[in-house]
mmCIF file with all atom_site columns, all heavy atoms in Angstrom:
data_model
loop_
_atom_site.group_PDB
_atom_site.id
_atom_site.type_symbol
_atom_site.label_atom_id
_atom_site.label_alt_id
_atom_site.label_comp_id
_atom_site.label_asym_id
_atom_site.label_entity_id
_atom_site.label_seq_id
_atom_site.pdbx_PDB_ins_code
_atom_site.Cartn_x
_atom_site.Cartn_y
_atom_site.Cartn_z
_atom_site.occupancy
_atom_site.B_iso_or_equiv
_atom_site.pdbx_formal_charge
_atom_site.auth_seq_id
_atom_site.auth_comp_id
_atom_site.auth_asym_id
_atom_site.auth_atom_id
_atom_site.pdbx_PDB_model_num
ATOM 1   N N   . SER A 1 143 ? 1.951  1.065   -4.615  1.00 97.00 ? 144 SER A N   1
ATOM 2   C CA  . SER A 1 143 ? 2.147  0.402   -5.889  1.00 97.00 ? 144 SER A CA  1
ATOM 3   C C   . SER A 1 143 ? 3.476  -0.350  -5.825  1.00 97.00 ? 144 SER A C   1
ATOM 4   O O   . SER A 1 143 ? 3.791  -0.982  -4.825  1.00 97.00 ? 144 SER A O   1
ATOM 5   C CB  . SER A 1 143 ? 2.106  1.417   -7.026  1.00 97.00 ? 144 SER A CB  1
ATOM 6   O OG  . SER A 1 143 ? 2.263  0.806   -8.281  1.00 97.00 ? 144 SER A OG  1
ATOM 7   N N   . SER A 1 144 ? 4.267  -0.274  -6.875  1.00 97.00 ? 145 SER A N   1
ATOM 8   C CA  . SER A 1 144 ? 5.555  -0.947  -6.934  1.00 97.00 ? 145 SER A CA  1
ATOM 9   C C   . SER A 1 144 ? 6.329  -0.390  -8.115  1.00 97.00 ? 145 SER A C   1
ATOM 10  O O   . SER A 1 144 ? 5.726  0.131   -9.066  1.00 97.00 ? 145 SER A O   1
ATOM 11  C CB  . SER A 1 144 ? 5.365  -2.454  -7.109  1.00 97.00 ? 145 SER A CB  1
ATOM 12  O OG  . SER A 1 144 ? 6.606  -3.117  -7.328  1.00 97.00 ? 145 SER A OG  1
ATOM 13  N N   . THR A 1 145 ? 7.652  -0.492  -8.070  1.00 97.00 ? 146 THR A N   1
ATOM 14  C CA  . THR A 1 145 ? 8.403  -0.169  -9.274  1.00 97.00 ? 146 THR A CA  1
ATOM 15  C C   . THR A 1 145 ? 8.049  -1.149  -10.390 1.00 97.00 ? 146 THR A C   1
ATOM 16  O O   . THR A 1 145 ? 8.080  -0.801  -11.562 1.00 97.00 ? 146 THR A O   1
ATOM 17  C CB  . THR A 1 145 ? 9.917  -0.203  -9.008  1.00 97.00 ? 146 THR A CB  1
ATOM 18  O OG1 . THR A 1 145 ? 10.263 -1.436  -8.376  1.00 97.00 ? 146 THR A OG1 1
ATOM 19  C CG2 . THR A 1 145 ? 10.339 0.965   -8.119  1.00 97.00 ? 146 THR A CG2 1
ATOM 20  N N   . THR A 1 146 ? 7.691  -2.379  -10.032 1.00 96.00 ? 147 THR A N   1
ATOM 21  C CA  . THR A 1 146 ? 7.245  -3.360  -11.023 1.00 96.00 ? 147 THR A CA  1
ATOM 22  C C   . THR A 1 146 ? 5.900  -2.924  -11.582 1.00 96.00 ? 147 THR A C   1
ATOM 23  O O   . THR A 1 146 ? 4.920  -2.815  -10.858 1.00 96.00 ? 147 THR A O   1
ATOM 24  C CB  . THR A 1 146 ? 7.104  -4.752  -10.397 1.00 96.00 ? 147 THR A CB  1
ATOM 25  O OG1 . THR A 1 146 ? 8.350  -5.168  -9.856  1.00 96.00 ? 147 THR A OG1 1
ATOM 26  C CG2 . THR A 1 146 ? 6.637  -5.769  -11.433 1.00 96.00 ? 147 THR A CG2 1
ATOM 27  N N   . GLY A 1 147 ? 5.848  -2.658  -12.858 1.00 96.00 ? 148 GLY A N   1
ATOM 28  C CA  . GLY A 1 147 ? 4.603  -2.241  -13.493 1.00 96.00 ? 148 GLY A CA  1
ATOM 29  C C   . GLY A 1 147 ? 4.483  -0.738  -13.604 1.00 96.00 ? 148 GLY A C   1
ATOM 30  O O   . GLY A 1 147 ? 4.289  -0.200  -14.691 1.00 96.00 ? 148 GLY A O   1
ATOM 31  N N   . ALA A 1 148 ? 4.613  -0.043  -12.486 1.00 96.00 ? 149 ALA A N   1
ATOM 32  C CA  . ALA A 1 148 ? 4.456  1.416   -12.498 1.00 96.00 ? 149 ALA A CA  1
ATOM 33  C C   . ALA A 1 148 ? 5.681  2.132   -13.053 1.00 96.00 ? 149 ALA A C   1
ATOM 34  O O   . ALA A 1 148 ? 5.573  3.240   -13.572 1.00 96.00 ? 149 ALA A O   1
ATOM 35  C CB  . ALA A 1 148 ? 4.155  1.910   -11.085 1.00 96.00 ? 149 ALA A CB  1
ATOM 36  N N   . VAL A 1 149 ? 6.857  1.519   -12.941 1.00 96.00 ? 150 VAL A N   1
ATOM 37  C CA  . VAL A 1 149 ? 8.098  2.150   -13.379 1.00 96.00 ? 150 VAL A CA  1
ATOM 38  C C   . VAL A 1 149 ? 8.862  1.271   -14.361 1.00 96.00 ? 150 VAL A C   1
ATOM 39  O O   . VAL A 1 149 ? 9.419  1.747   -15.341 1.00 96.00 ? 150 VAL A O   1
ATOM 40  C CB  . VAL A 1 149 ? 9.005  2.464   -12.164 1.00 96.00 ? 150 VAL A CB  1
ATOM 41  C CG1 . VAL A 1 149 ? 10.337 3.065   -12.609 1.00 96.00 ? 150 VAL A CG1 1
ATOM 42  C CG2 . VAL A 1 149 ? 8.296  3.394   -11.191 1.00 96.00 ? 150 VAL A CG2 1
ATOM 43  N N   . ALA A 1 150 ? 8.897  -0.014  -14.101 1.00 94.00 ? 151 ALA A N   1
ATOM 44  C CA  . ALA A 1 150 ? 9.684  -0.952  -14.903 1.00 94.00 ? 151 ALA A CA  1
ATOM 45  C C   . ALA A 1 150 ? 8.911  -2.262  -15.035 1.00 94.00 ? 151 ALA A C   1
ATOM 46  O O   . ALA A 1 150 ? 7.795  -2.395  -14.537 1.00 94.00 ? 151 ALA A O   1
ATOM 47  C CB  . ALA A 1 150 ? 11.048 -1.191  -14.241 1.00 94.00 ? 151 ALA A CB  1
ATOM 48  N N   . GLY A 1 151 ? 9.518  -3.209  -15.686 1.00 90.00 ? 152 GLY A N   1
ATOM 49  C CA  . GLY A 1 151 ? 8.891  -4.510  -15.860 1.00 90.00 ? 152 GLY A CA  1
ATOM 50  C C   . GLY A 1 151 ? 9.773  -5.620  -15.340 1.00 90.00 ? 152 GLY A C   1
ATOM 51  O O   . GLY A 1 151 ? 10.992 -5.475  -15.249 1.00 90.00 ? 152 GLY A O   1
ATOM 52  N N   . VAL A 1 152 ? 9.148  -6.729  -14.977 1.00 87.00 ? 153 VAL A N   1
ATOM 53  C CA  . VAL A 1 152 ? 9.862  -7.925  -14.565 1.00 87.00 ? 153 VAL A CA  1
ATOM 54  C C   . VAL A 1 152 ? 9.303  -9.091  -15.370 1.00 87.00 ? 153 VAL A C   1
ATOM 55  O O   . VAL A 1 152 ? 8.086  -9.307  -15.379 1.00 87.00 ? 153 VAL A O   1
ATOM 56  C CB  . VAL A 1 152 ? 9.704  -8.204  -13.049 1.00 87.00 ? 153 VAL A CB  1
ATOM 57  C CG1 . VAL A 1 152 ? 10.340 -9.535  -12.681 1.00 87.00 ? 153 VAL A CG1 1
ATOM 58  C CG2 . VAL A 1 152 ? 10.329 -7.081  -12.232 1.00 87.00 ? 153 VAL A CG2 1
ATOM 59  N N   . ALA A 1 153 ? 10.149 -9.819  -16.056 1.00 91.00 ? 154 ALA A N   1
ATOM 60  C CA  . ALA A 1 153 ? 9.689  -10.948 -16.852 1.00 91.00 ? 154 ALA A CA  1
ATOM 61  C C   . ALA A 1 153 ? 8.991  -11.979 -15.976 1.00 91.00 ? 154 ALA A C   1
ATOM 62  O O   . ALA A 1 153 ? 9.365  -12.200 -14.821 1.00 91.00 ? 154 ALA A O   1
ATOM 63  C CB  . ALA A 1 153 ? 10.873 -11.595 -17.574 1.00 91.00 ? 154 ALA A CB  1
ATOM 64  N N   . ASN A 1 154 ? 7.972  -12.591 -16.505 1.00 90.00 ? 155 ASN A N   1
ATOM 65  C CA  . ASN A 1 154 ? 7.241  -13.688 -15.875 1.00 90.00 ? 155 ASN A CA  1
ATOM 66  C C   . ASN A 1 154 ? 6.392  -13.251 -14.684 1.00 90.00 ? 155 ASN A C   1
ATOM 67  O O   . ASN A 1 154 ? 6.001  -14.078 -13.868 1.00 90.00 ? 155 ASN A O   1
ATOM 68  C CB  . ASN A 1 154 ? 8.199  -14.812 -15.441 1.00 90.00 ? 155 ASN A CB  1
ATOM 69  C CG  . ASN A 1 154 ? 8.929  -15.425 -16.608 1.00 90.00 ? 155 ASN A CG  1
ATOM 70  O OD1 . ASN A 1 154 ? 8.342  -15.593 -17.688 1.00 90.00 ? 155 ASN A OD1 1
ATOM 71  N ND2 . ASN A 1 154 ? 10.204 -15.738 -16.438 1.00 90.00 ? 155 ASN A ND2 1
ATOM 72  N N   . ASP A 1 155 ? 6.097  -11.956 -14.571 1.00 90.00 ? 156 ASP A N   1
ATOM 73  C CA  . ASP A 1 155 ? 5.257  -11.479 -13.482 1.00 90.00 ? 156 ASP A CA  1
ATOM 74  C C   . ASP A 1 155 ? 4.248  -10.472 -14.027 1.00 90.00 ? 156 ASP A C   1
ATOM 75  O O   . ASP A 1 155 ? 4.011  -9.418  -13.451 1.00 90.00 ? 156 ASP A O   1
ATOM 76  C CB  . ASP A 1 155 ? 6.125  -10.829 -12.399 1.00 90.00 ? 156 ASP A CB  1
ATOM 77  C CG  . ASP A 1 155 ? 5.562  -11.013 -11.000 1.00 90.00 ? 156 ASP A CG  1
ATOM 78  O OD1 . ASP A 1 155 ? 4.479  -11.638 -10.875 1.00 90.00 ? 156 ASP A OD1 1
ATOM 79  O OD2 . ASP A 1 155 ? 6.173  -10.541 -10.034 1.00 90.00 ? 156 ASP A OD2 1
ATOM 80  N N   . SER A 1 156 ? 3.622  -10.823 -15.153 1.00 93.00 ? 157 SER A N   1
ATOM 81  C CA  . SER A 1 156 ? 2.794  -9.872  -15.886 1.00 93.00 ? 157 SER A CA  1
ATOM 82  C C   . SER A 1 156 ? 1.539  -9.467  -15.129 1.00 93.00 ? 157 SER A C   1
ATOM 83  O O   . SER A 1 156 ? 1.108  -8.302  -15.201 1.00 93.00 ? 157 SER A O   1
ATOM 84  C CB  . SER A 1 156 ? 2.412  -10.444 -17.253 1.00 93.00 ? 157 SER A CB  1
ATOM 85  O OG  . SER A 1 156 ? 1.781  -11.709 -17.111 1.00 93.00 ? 157 SER A OG  1
ATOM 86  N N   . ALA A 1 157 ? 0.928  -10.389 -14.401 1.00 94.00 ? 158 ALA A N   1
ATOM 87  C CA  . ALA A 1 157 ? -0.309 -10.050 -13.686 1.00 94.00 ? 158 ALA A CA  1
ATOM 88  C C   . ALA A 1 157 ? -0.038 -9.038  -12.577 1.00 94.00 ? 158 ALA A C   1
ATOM 89  O O   . ALA A 1 157 ? -0.759 -8.052  -12.416 1.00 94.00 ? 158 ALA A O   1
ATOM 90  C CB  . ALA A 1 157 ? -0.949 -11.311 -13.118 1.00 94.00 ? 158 ALA A CB  1
ATOM 91  N N   . TYR A 1 158 ? 1.019  -9.276  -11.819 1.00 94.00 ? 159 TYR A N   1
ATOM 92  C CA  . TYR A 1 158 ? 1.378  -8.348  -10.740 1.00 94.00 ? 159 TYR A CA  1
ATOM 93  C C   . TYR A 1 158 ? 1.737  -6.983  -11.310 1.00 94.00 ? 159 TYR A C   1
ATOM 94  O O   . TYR A 1 158 ? 1.305  -5.942  -10.803 1.00 94.00 ? 159 TYR A O   1
ATOM 95  C CB  . TYR A 1 158 ? 2.547  -8.923  -9.945  1.00 94.00 ? 159 TYR A CB  1
ATOM 96  C CG  . TYR A 1 158 ? 3.023  -8.050  -8.811  1.00 94.00 ? 159 TYR A CG  1
ATOM 97  C CD1 . TYR A 1 158 ? 2.304  -7.970  -7.626  1.00 94.00 ? 159 TYR A CD1 1
ATOM 98  C CD2 . TYR A 1 158 ? 4.204  -7.320  -8.917  1.00 94.00 ? 159 TYR A CD2 1
ATOM 99  C CE1 . TYR A 1 158 ? 2.738  -7.169  -6.577  1.00 94.00 ? 159 TYR A CE1 1
ATOM 100 C CE2 . TYR A 1 158 ? 4.649  -6.524  -7.883  1.00 94.00 ? 159 TYR A CE2 1
ATOM 101 C CZ  . TYR A 1 158 ? 3.910  -6.451  -6.711  1.00 94.00 ? 159 TYR A CZ  1
ATOM 102 O OH  . TYR A 1 158 ? 4.345  -5.651  -5.680  1.00 94.00 ? 159 TYR A OH  1
ATOM 103 N N   . ALA A 1 159 ? 2.520  -6.967  -12.393 1.00 95.00 ? 160 ALA A N   1
ATOM 104 C CA  . ALA A 1 159 ? 2.905  -5.702  -13.018 1.00 95.00 ? 160 ALA A CA  1
ATOM 105 C C   . ALA A 1 159 ? 1.679  -4.955  -13.530 1.00 95.00 ? 160 ALA A C   1
ATOM 106 O O   . ALA A 1 159 ? 1.574  -3.728  -13.375 1.00 95.00 ? 160 ALA A O   1
ATOM 107 C CB  . ALA A 1 159 ? 3.892  -5.960  -14.161 1.00 95.00 ? 160 ALA A CB  1
ATOM 108 N N   . ALA A 1 160 ? 0.749  -5.677  -14.122 1.00 96.00 ? 161 ALA A N   1
ATOM 109 C CA  . ALA A 1 160 ? -0.473 -5.034  -14.626 1.00 96.00 ? 161 ALA A CA  1
ATOM 110 C C   . ALA A 1 160 ? -1.282 -4.440  -13.488 1.00 96.00 ? 161 ALA A C   1
ATOM 111 O O   . ALA A 1 160 ? -1.820 -3.325  -13.605 1.00 96.00 ? 161 ALA A O   1
ATOM 112 C CB  . ALA A 1 160 ? -1.305 -6.057  -15.399 1.00 96.00 ? 161 ALA A CB  1
ATOM 113 N N   . ALA A 1 161 ? -1.372 -5.156  -12.383 1.00 97.00 ? 162 ALA A N   1
ATOM 114 C CA  . ALA A 1 161 ? -2.138 -4.658  -11.248 1.00 97.00 ? 162 ALA A CA  1
ATOM 115 C C   . ALA A 1 161 ? -1.510 -3.408  -10.654 1.00 97.00 ? 162 ALA A C   1
ATOM 116 O O   . ALA A 1 161 ? -2.203 -2.428  -10.334 1.00 97.00 ? 162 ALA A O   1
ATOM 117 C CB  . ALA A 1 161 ? -2.250 -5.750  -10.184 1.00 97.00 ? 162 ALA A CB  1
#
Side-chain angles (χ1 to χ4, degrees):
S144 181
S145 173
T146 51
T147 301
V150 177
V153 174
N155 298 322
D156 213 359
S157 55
Y159 179 76

